[in-house]
Amino acid sequence: MDRTLVLAAQVAIPQGHRLEVTERHDDLTGEPIVLALVDLDTGIRFQRAEGHHGEISRWLGRVLDCTVTLHGAGAGTVLIVDPIGPGPTGAKVALRGADAAADAAKAEADRWGGSDRPPQPEAERFW
């Protein structure tokens, strides 16, 4: 499942590059906050100025798409990253992905005639 990382900085990383993402989960929103990115192909490290506190997790991924937006107040970046290999992203993120997959499977089963149709009566047998 691809991950979308939204950063309030100009972080241009080419497609195909491998990343190490360090993040922590915000206690108020439950959403992950990116603390640092390391472009493993170039060795460039992008890091927040504030210190790290709380439980952090690290995972590896490959950049699928990078969009840098420049505007009057600064810059912003949206990275689409395909997680590769092991590396926990936190239980809440994993469960959210599993819930989304289960909902999608249920919708697909309903669409193909799973639960909304009454069963067909058995045909009479002649011996």
Side-chain angles (χ1 to χ4, degrees), residues 93-115:
V93 174
L95 287 175
R96 187 172 49 233
D99 287 342
D103 290 342
K106 183 179 176 187
E108 191 69 16
D110 289 344
R111 192 183 99 184
W112 285 98
S115 62

Side-chain angles (χ1 to χ4, degrees), residues 1-89:
M1 183 170 119
D2 299 341
R3 297 275 311 269
T4 301
L5 305 177
V6 180
L7 308 165
Q10 185 175 348
V11 181
I13 301 176
Q15 290 179 353
H17 278 220
R18 294 174 307 122
L19 289 179
E20 178 186 72
V21 180
T22 303
E23 60 187 15
R24 72 173 172 84
H25 292 281
D26 187 10
D27 295 333
L28 297 175
T29 64
E31 295 293 319
I33 297 173
V34 177
L35 299 174
L37 292 173
V38 179
D39 184 342
L40 298 174
D41 293 333
T42 62
I44 298 173
R45 180 178 184 84
F46 302 92
Q47 183 173 338
R48 287 182 176 261
E50 70 254 13
H52 305 325
H53 62 286
E55 181 183 340
I56 63 170
S57 63
R58 286 188 171 84
W59 54 276
L60 301 176
R62 186 169 305 279
V63 176
L64 298 177
D65 187 43
C66 177
T67 303
V68 178
T69 306
L70 302 173
H71 42 80
T77 303
V78 176
L79 288 170
I80 308 290
V81 180
D82 180 25
I84 54 175
T89 59

